[in-house]
């Protein structure tokens, strides 16, 4: 199972790059994706997550070829 | 119903006039339009800001804005909606966002425009980074609440 | 803070652009503007309307609108307010009224613009007479309520 | 005491003209001004009154050279 991961704004600065990809055998939750991709980095407070461009909760299961994005609270408008 | 994300300046009044002349339909049923324009201020949290960079998540931004428009259409009788949002580098005084809601009645136009702005501010994946006059850069941490009044009209 | 009553067409976007370029001050503090445009529809109460005549009470209209602006300024932090209202004969699709509120913050701009519109509709001495397509003329009896939503934003 | 009276919109049609003037000895309320000026015409429901361009109630006393205006509910905007 291949999962694409993206980081935006201050979270991209925190991680140090904007994209990751992980290959995994079993189904993962969004929380587990964070742990695998960031090698257990502490998750900044208020971090948001989207799967395939929709907001999800951290226990959501991720499917093959999903795009998972992590980012801080939005500040547009 | 139109969503535009662009890295070139928004000219609110020209953009609105052009939109009304070329894209807007059912003109004679329109009795009310409510327009919000958000502009870059040159101060924030007590500091003088000289430039702002707006990052976004291409694809998700449009998806979320279209969901917000769909939610507004479910709650109010709207003839058309236009959302324009700037990305990239922005200077003080330049517009960041424009939302316009056209309806037959003013209640719907006002409510929908405000609903869209509040939801855009909390759900659309845009992020602002400010450059201060001392060249220091910082991410804006969170949007202020667009408090709803408890005052009577 | 400007009130204009005129018997010539309102061109909302040109009028706003011109006002911003020539009269509006403190530009860099403006973070939000909310604009309402009320337009003549070609139907009312199920009938096709071909023309509308707007009568007003010169002097009292300006006095009441200025009182409404003063009340808005007491409740919200506003940088500027523009009210333009048309009188005389109006055709479908033509703007009847324009209200714009400029502020540093969106809550104030939205609230003030709506407050002004609701008060204008209930207190400013204007009266509409409609001419239907069968040439029948009738006074509009009362304005509809610009209901405030109970929905959550 | 001289009082100028104005009628607007449907009330002007109802009265048949747009202005009146009454000369009177004693102080009058707005209600009494209506009665004198219109010769006791029935007052249409919801009629509003302004003295010197401010809304007042019907028991308001009118002063010399005041302008009293009667009109139906407003319908601008």
């Amino acid at each position: 199972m291949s999962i694409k991961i993206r980081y935006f704004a201050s979270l991209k600065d925190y991680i140090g790059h904007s994209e990751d990809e992980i290959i995994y055998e079993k189904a993962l939750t969004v929380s587990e994706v964070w742990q695998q991709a960031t090698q257990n980095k502490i998750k900044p407070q208020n971090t948001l997550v989207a799967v395939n461009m929709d907001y999800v909760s951290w226990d959501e299961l991720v499917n093959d070829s999903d795009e998972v994005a992590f980012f801080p609270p939005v500040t547009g408008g | 119903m139109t969503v535009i994300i662009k890295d070139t300046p928004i000219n609110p009044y020209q953009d609105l006039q052009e939109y009304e002349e070329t894209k807007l339909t059912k003109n004679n049923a329109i009795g009310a339009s409510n327009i919000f324009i958000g502009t870059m201020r040159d101060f924030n949290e007590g500091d003088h800001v000289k430039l702002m960079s707006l990052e976004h998540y291409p694809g998700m931004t449009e998806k979320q804005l279209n969901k917000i428009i769909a939610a507004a259409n479910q709650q109010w009788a709207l003839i058309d909606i236009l959302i324009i949002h700037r990305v990239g580098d922005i200077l003080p005084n330049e517009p960041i966002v424009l939302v316009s809601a056209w309806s037959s009645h003013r209640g719907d136009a006002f409510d929908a425009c405000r609903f869209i702005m509040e939801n855009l501010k909390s759900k659309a994946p845009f992020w602002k980074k400010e450059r201060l006059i001392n060249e220091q850069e910082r991410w804006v941490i969170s949007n202020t609440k667009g408090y709803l009044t408890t005052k009577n009209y």
Side-chain angles (χ1 to χ4, degrees), chain B residues 52-72:
Chain B
M52 205 160 66
S53 297
L54 259 152
E55 183 178 334
H56 77 304
Y57 181 175
M60 181 165 173
T61 312
E62 292 82 350
K63 188 174 186 178
Q64 293 300 318
L65 291 175
N66 281 311
K67 283 174 86 161
I68 294 166
I69 287 176

Side-chain angles (χ1 to χ4, degrees), chain A residues 10-62:
Chain A
S10 58
L11 211 67
K12 179 173 63 188
D13 296 350
Y14 174 68
I15 300 292
H17 50 266
S18 64
E19 296 194 13
D20 273 322
E21 189 169 1
I22 57 174
I23 312 286
Y24 219 74
E25 288 304 305
K26 74 175 185 79
L28 293 177
T29 66
V30 163
S31 279
E32 291 167 331
V33 169
W34 169 274
Q35 287 158 8
Q36 292 298 327
T38 67
Q39 287 148 337
N40 285 308
K41 264 201 158 160
I42 291 166
K43 175 165 67 74
Q45 227 188 339
N46 299 326
T47 297
L48 300 174
V49 58
V51 172
N52 299 331
M53 304 184 174
D54 278 317
Y55 290 99
V56 295
S57 60
W58 289 82
D59 54 7
E60 184 89 359
L61 277 176
V62 178

Side-chain angles (χ1 to χ4, degrees), chain B residues 12-152:
Chain B
Y13 305 133
Q14 284 156 256
D15 294 355
L16 281 163
Q17 186 132 18
E18 193 182 310
Y19 188 82
E20 289 194 351
E21 285 166 5
T22 60
K23 303 241 180 88
L24 192 63
T25 47
K26 288 206 273 181
N27 272 326
N28 287 358
I30 292 172
S33 56
N34 189 244
I35 298 155
F36 178 85
I37 299 164
T39 310
M40 187 188 155
R41 295 188 316 244
D42 64 355
F43 67 91
N44 193 25
E45 317 228 335
D47 296 306
H48 196 94
V49 182
K50 64 185 264 193
L51 183 136
M52 205 160 66
S53 297
L54 259 152
E55 183 178 334
H56 77 304
Y57 181 175
M60 181 165 173
T61 312
E62 292 82 350
K63 188 174 186 178
Q64 293 300 318
L65 291 175
N66 281 311
K67 283 174 86 161
I68 294 166
I69 287 176
N73 273 311
Q74 284 209 315
Q75 291 183 75
W76 297 285
L78 304 170
I79 292 168
D80 207 348
I81 294 284
L82 171 65
I83 301 177
I84 308 178
H85 203 294
R86 179 91 180 267
V87 291
D89 288 350
I90 300 185
L91 296 171
N93 240 328
E94 290 186 342
I96 300 167
V97 61
L98 180 155
V99 173
S100 183
W102 289 271
S103 175
S104 291
H105 301 287
R106 72 186 185 284
D108 300 83
F110 270 118
D111 282 349
C113 186
R114 187 154 199 179
F115 171 88
I116 290 167
M117 268 310 299
E118 295 309 313
N119 279 273
L120 181 156
K121 286 255 177 189
S122 61
K123 293 179 188 159
F126 295 103
W127 301 274
K128 290 176 182 143
K129 184 191 258 181
E130 296 174 335
R131 190 185 301 165
L132 306 184
I133 43 173
N134 62 6
E135 297 300 327
Q136 189 200 327
E137 291 200 338
R138 66 182 182 196
W139 289 101
V140 175
I141 300 301
S142 68
N143 274 330
T144 53
K145 294 277 172 212
Y147 59 87
L148 287 176
T149 187
T150 54
K151 299 184 178 79
N152 289 319

